[in-house]
Amino acid sequence: MRRFLQAGLAVVVLLAGYLMFWPTPVDPVAWDPPADHGLTGAYAPNERLAGVTRLARGHVRAPDAVTFDGEGRMYTSSADGKIYRMAPDGTGAEVFSDVGGRPTGMAFAPDGALIAANEPLGALMRIPPGGGPPRTLTDSVNGRRLSLVNDVTVAADGTVYFTESSSRFHYDRSRWIVLEHAGDGAVHAYDPRTRRTRVVRDGLQLPNGITLSADGTHLLVSETGAYRVIRHWLSGPRAGATDTLAGNLPGYPNDISPAAGGGHWVALMSLRSPLLDGLGGWPGVRRTITRLPYTWLPEPAPIGFVIRLDAQGTVTANLQNSGEGAFTAVSAVTERDGALYLGTETGDAVGRVAY
């Protein structure tokens, strides 16, 4: 019995030592999260996102991004690196390109080329209008290799703006980015004329979705780790400034896209974590958590959730679904011909729901 107790004590000591002192690449920063008001007021629970039709099943895996070309054809990404083109009803799916890594964001350039963010390669890629093999536009900034490139938007002059959610971690460690809260994300711009990449705005908390305003004066960015959508001004009297369009969101904002009639759609991947918010001021505890197996980190509660914001950041639409069979982990929302097309980080189909 005595040897058994000694062995048990040794195991406990070793485990405690591991959790306290084992090296970890994560260096959490203390912060004070805004009070989570939950699903109240403009975010009241509803089932308006119920009845989602699943498209392209059997072809795509975790279709993170969804976009359309000028002829109304739908394009969506797959975690295996393929980009599919198909009819808006999901029929006729064909491989448009294979970028060799997970495409996390896509947007069309003025010349008809498709620009894709290739997350595992840390690169921005150009696919010619007819499809086929991609070409790398950029994979570095200021002499540093890019890491978690995430979403893209293209200006009328061809400038590509894109988010880098973290300069140190990739998608498969995205929960570490939120746990650390170090603000190592940024927005960059690639100039196709000079072929140079520059930093537009850094110090961001997991910047994710990005789009240009209709007049091109500012960028809208989903700052996932800060629960908000921000504006970064490119021109006019506020050029270079950044402000908050919509803050203290009840979930983690993902991709953002224009809404018909004005405003923007924002996909909320999941609700906020009370545990994570509660540990905001305890960086040491968060560091200890990162020493646990990554798969042990808590999964967010499944929910389908998208909102629409007007130009002042007011919520003008709120669509949710948390019931059985809900289309969850919504990563993208694109409005087209009276319907919303939804991407997801976990499912096997593109979602479509009438709106």
Side-chain angles (χ1 to χ4, degrees):
M1 176 62 75
R2 182 178 180 181
R3 289 182 178 178
F4 178 79
L5 291 176
Q6 288 175 333
L9 179 60
V11 169
V12 171
V13 171
L14 288 173
L15 180 60
Y18 169 80
L19 291 175
M20 292 180 65
F21 303 111
W22 191 261
T24 173
V26 185
D27 189 16
V29 174
W31 73 297
D32 185 18
D36 184 4
H37 299 300
L39 301 181
T40 59
Y43 307 109
N46 61 74
E47 296 300 315
R48 296 179 185 137
L49 209 58
V52 172
T53 301
R54 266 76 170 175
L55 309 177
R57 263 184 168 163
H59 295 283
V60 298
R61 179 164 58 89
D64 201 330
V66 180
T67 191
F68 288 82
D69 66 14
E71 298 180 29
R73 294 173 295 189
M74 181 170 68
Y75 296 72
T76 187
S77 59
S78 183
D80 60 6
K82 295 182 177 64
I83 295 175
Y84 286 88
R85 180 172 64 185
M86 65 197 74
D89 62 359
T91 60
E94 59 181 350
V95 176
F96 180 71
S97 183
D98 189 337
V99 301
R102 183 186 184 115
T104 49
M106 303 184 300
F108 281 98
D111 65 356
L114 183 64
I115 311 299
N118 190 322
E119 184 279 318
L121 298 184
L124 201 65
M125 314 194 86
R126 179 188 186 275
I127 304 159
R135 173 172 64 88
T136 298
L137 296 178
T138 181
D139 59 8
S140 64
V141 60
N142 294 340
R144 173 183 65 79
R145 284 296 301 269
L146 293 166
S147 183
L148 205 173
V149 292
N150 203 322
D151 196 22
V152 299
T153 189
V154 187
D157 65 357
T159 300
V160 183
Y161 296 94
F162 64 101
T163 53
E164 183 185 23
S165 296
S166 170
S167 63
R168 297 168 52 236
F169 300 115
H170 283 279
Y171 178 85
D172 62 352
R173 289 296 181 268
S174 54
R175 294 180 217 170
W176 279 1
I177 304 172
V178 178
L179 274 170
E180 187 176 63
H181 203 80
D184 68 328
V187 172
H188 306 302
Y190 170 79
D191 188 333
R193 292 159 297 189
T194 63
R195 299 184 180 180
R196 293 182 178 178
T197 304
R198 61 182 173 86
V199 178
V200 175
R201 175 70 160 82
D202 58 9
L204 299 178
Q205 303 290 347
L206 208 163
N208 199 327
I210 185 171
T211 192
L212 273 160
S213 62
D215 60 6
T217 60
H218 59 278
L219 294 165
L220 290 94
V221 181
S222 294
E223 196 176 5
T224 303
Y227 316 133
R228 64 181 181 175
V229 174
I230 60 174
R231 291 179 295 197
H232 181 79
W233 296 86
L234 301 172
S235 61
R238 307 184 66 184
T242 303
D243 60 17
T244 298
L245 175 67
N248 199 15
L249 298 175
Y252 297 100
N254 208 308
D255 284 4
I256 181 169
S257 65
H264 289 83
W265 289 104
V266 180
L268 296 178
M269 190 180 67
S270 68
L271 299 179
R272 286 166 56 172
S273 166
L275 173 62
L276 185 60
D277 280 359
L279 293 176
W282 299 81
V285 176
R286 304 203 318 271
R287 181 181 295 109
T288 297
I289 290 174
T290 65
R291 295 188 177 103
L292 297 172
Y294 188 79
T295 55
W296 289 13
L297 297 180
E299 290 275 2
I303 188 173
F305 201 171
V306 301
I307 60 174
R308 188 178 65 192
L309 303 174
D310 66 13
Q312 289 71 47
T314 302
V315 177
T316 57
N318 159 29
L319 289 76
Q320 301 178 34
N321 183 213
S322 58
E324 185 176 351
F327 192 92
T328 61
V330 180
S331 58
V333 52
T334 300
E335 186 173 359
R336 182 84 181 187
D337 297 332
L340 300 181
Y341 290 82
L342 311 175
T344 177
E345 293 194 356
T346 61
D348 62 353
V350 175
R352 183 182 65 186
V353 63
Y355 179 73

